[in-house]
Amino acid sequence: MRRLLGPTALRDRVPGGPDGRRMLAVTLVDRIGSGLWAATAVLYFTYVADLGTAEIGLMLGVSGAVGIAGPPLGGHLADRLPLRPLLVTVQAVRAAAALALLTTTDLWPLIAITAVGSLGDRAASVLTKLYATRVAGPERARYQAVNRTVANLGWAVGGLAAAAALTVGTTTVYRCLLVGDGLSFVLAALLTLRCHEPPSAARVVAAGPRPAAGTTPDGPVATPAAEGRPAPATGAEPAPVRRTTPWRDRPYLLYTATDAVLCLDDSVFKVGLPLWTVTATTAPHGLAPLLLVLNNVLVVLLQVPFARFGTTPAAARRALLPLGAVCLAGALALAASAAEPVWLACTALILAATAFTLAEILHAAISWELSVSLAPAEAQGAYLGVHSLSQAVQRSAGPLAVTGAIAVGPVGWLGLGGALAATCLAQHRLVRGRTGPALSDPPVTVSEHRSPTH
């Protein structure tokens, strides 16, 4: 890992130059704070805010529903406003929401505060993805792989710190962990201020006629000649391009819907594996958290090597077929884990966790590339905002689908695995003909040597 994340390796391997590395630091700080809070949120509301189970469920349900609006809203704004200050604003909103939780223990104010925080969390996710897309360009698949590795490390560090703090478990400790979460967003905002504003084809289109050679609304650009590409023919100014909308792009909406199904690996790990292990198998209960550790370790080790499966739209489309096979294999292993003896159940659960982790890693590379390459450059923010709804929908419907499979038993897992494999085949057919090379690479690039403005 030192070779991957050391200073020299980051300088040589991370796409996006200095801005790419700064955004990795933002991701690390963000996820450490989120790890602190995610591991203790329910306990905080139970023991500090003194809420009942039903009240906590209502609060989390409402905040989750409000948060669904975050990705499309963030993407819509990102096509019209500079991205860097928008990111800083969202981080400030998240910080304010986190720290505001300290001011009350009443249910309805807490619902309002967590709803604002959820809106900011979901918007920040799509804005960070859009920033990475713009600064990394054609190397976005590799950047996303490194970014996911750093994110998992951050989650692990935050979770371990929270676990250590909870050995004390006092009200003061809970509040300190919440303060740490809020301060992580403040630090993330400050780090974002050190980044450049990335190029935006959407804002160039919105501005109407193309600016003078060598400039864009965001600053100097590399001209086609400087990049070794033929200069465009001279003549009349091009007519302003009408902005496209993802809400009328039926193939993209269908792609987003199928991707929501393929995001089910999240619910399999958070809900399915732990619940199935303790209720339907003879495996020791202590194996359940170890399966999550296995997931985290494999993501850190394999996400970057697996980036090659998403380097081009065509490669991402081809990888959908092995993705379906891996999903089906994981479901078969889960079905087999219901058998005795104990060693067989444990072995099957480990194989299932490994298979679904590989599916998660592979799907991350595929989804990252296709969601960007299928979007027109002038409306990338809006399209990525709509695509992020796939994760939001999965967070709501995924636990129901997984618990339904558990209720049916081994046959339920086989049905779920078959549905995932069929969805991969459907998506493979759906994106056929729309996976040309570099469909949405930005037409302009910001000079790496431009100084950031503060």
Side-chain angles (χ1 to χ4, degrees), residues 178-227:
L178 181 52
V179 169
D181 182 39
L183 292 180
S184 73
F185 300 137
V186 174
L187 181 55
L190 294 175
L191 290 172
T192 303
L193 283 173
R194 299 189 63 229
C195 297
H196 300 120
E197 175 66 26
S200 170
R203 292 177 59 215
V204 170
V205 170
R210 186 177 297 276
T215 63
T216 71
D218 296 319
V221 303
T223 62
E227 294 182 351

Side-chain angles (χ1 to χ4, degrees), residues 20 53 55 86 109 121 146 157 159 199 202 213 228 240 245 257 261-262 288 304-305 309 382 388 399 448 453:
T53 302
E55 291 175 317
L86 194 57
D121 288 343
V146 177
V157 170
T245 170
V261 177
L262 298 183
V304 172
F309 293 106
S388 293
E448 193 174 271
T453 55

Side-chain angles (χ1 to χ4, degrees), residues 36-445:
L36 288 174
W37 179 238
T40 57
V42 172
L43 298 176
Y44 176 89
F45 291 125
T46 300
Y47 296 113
V48 178
D50 197 28
L51 299 181
T53 302
E55 291 175 317
I56 293 174
L58 174 63
M59 179 180 61
L60 296 180
V62 172
S63 64
V66 173
I68 291 176
L73 177 61
H76 175 81
L77 293 175
D79 283 338
R80 290 156 175 78
L81 301 173
L83 184 53
R84 188 187 67 157
L86 194 57
L87 260 172
V88 172
T89 301
V90 169
Q91 296 287 15
V93 169
R94 298 171 77 194
L99 297 176
L101 291 174
L102 296 168
T103 64
T104 182
T105 58
D106 295 332
L107 175 61
W108 292 108
L110 286 175
I111 288 177
I113 294 169
T114 55
V116 171
S118 178
L119 192 69
D121 288 343
R122 304 285 178 84
S125 177
V126 70
L127 293 176
T128 302
K129 179 178 180 179
L130 183 59
Y131 191 99
T133 298
R134 291 178 179 176
V135 299
E139 294 185 279
R140 54 181 173 260
R142 181 171 183 82
Y143 183 90
Q144 168 68 349
V146 177
N147 186 70
R148 290 196 83 235
T149 301
V150 171
N152 274 270
L153 287 174
W155 273 107
V157 170
L160 290 173
L166 289 178
T167 58
V168 179
T170 63
T171 297
T172 300
V173 167
Y174 284 118
R175 287 175 175 158
C176 286
L177 291 172
L178 181 52
V179 169
D181 182 39
L183 292 180
S184 73
F185 300 137
V186 174
L187 181 55
L190 294 175
L191 290 172
T192 303
L193 283 173
R194 299 189 63 229
C195 297
H196 300 120
E197 175 66 26
S200 170
R203 292 177 59 215
V204 170
V205 170
R210 186 177 297 276
T215 63
T216 71
D218 296 319
V221 303
T223 62
E227 294 182 351
R229 293 183 285 112
T234 58
E237 293 289 353
V241 179
R242 187 177 66 177
R243 190 183 300 277
T244 56
T245 170
W247 301 108
R248 296 180 181 178
D249 190 335
R250 296 178 66 181
Y252 196 87
L253 292 176
L254 286 173
Y255 164 72
T256 298
T258 56
D259 227 36
V261 177
L262 298 183
C263 287
L264 277 173
D265 59 80
D266 181 66
S267 291
V268 168
F269 270 103
K270 290 182 179 178
V271 179
L273 271 170
L275 192 57
W276 179 256
T277 299
V278 302
T279 63
T281 76
T282 58
H285 293 184
L287 181 62
L290 295 180
L291 296 177
L292 297 179
V293 173
L294 174 64
N295 169 260
N296 190 267
V297 170
L298 289 177
V299 170
V300 170
L301 293 177
L302 298 179
Q303 189 66 70
V304 172
F306 271 54
R308 68 179 183 273
F309 293 106
T311 51
T312 66
R317 178 176 179 264
R318 288 193 300 270
L320 284 166
L321 299 180
L323 174 60
V326 172
C327 289
L328 188 57
L332 287 169
L334 276 176
S337 67
E340 296 183 0
V342 174
W343 69 265
L344 179 59
C346 292
T347 301
L349 285 171
I350 293 171
L351 290 175
T354 301
F356 275 108
T357 299
L358 294 178
E360 173 191 345
I361 296 170
L362 193 56
H363 177 245
I366 295 170
S367 179
W368 171 266
E369 177 60 26
L370 291 181
S371 64
V372 173
S373 63
L374 296 177
E378 72 274 7
Q380 225 169 45
Y383 271 71
L384 292 183
V386 167
H387 177 262
S388 293
L389 289 176
S390 60
Q391 295 178 353
V393 170
Q394 188 281 142
R395 289 189 184 103
S396 299
L400 296 176
V402 169
T403 53
I406 292 174
V408 174
V411 175
W413 285 120
L414 294 177
L416 183 65
L420 290 172
T423 302
C424 288
L425 291 174
Q427 194 174 100
H428 183 269
R429 181 178 179 83
L430 177 66
V431 301
R432 182 177 59 185
R434 299 191 66 184
T435 52
L439 292 182
S440 59
D441 290 342
V444 294
T445 57

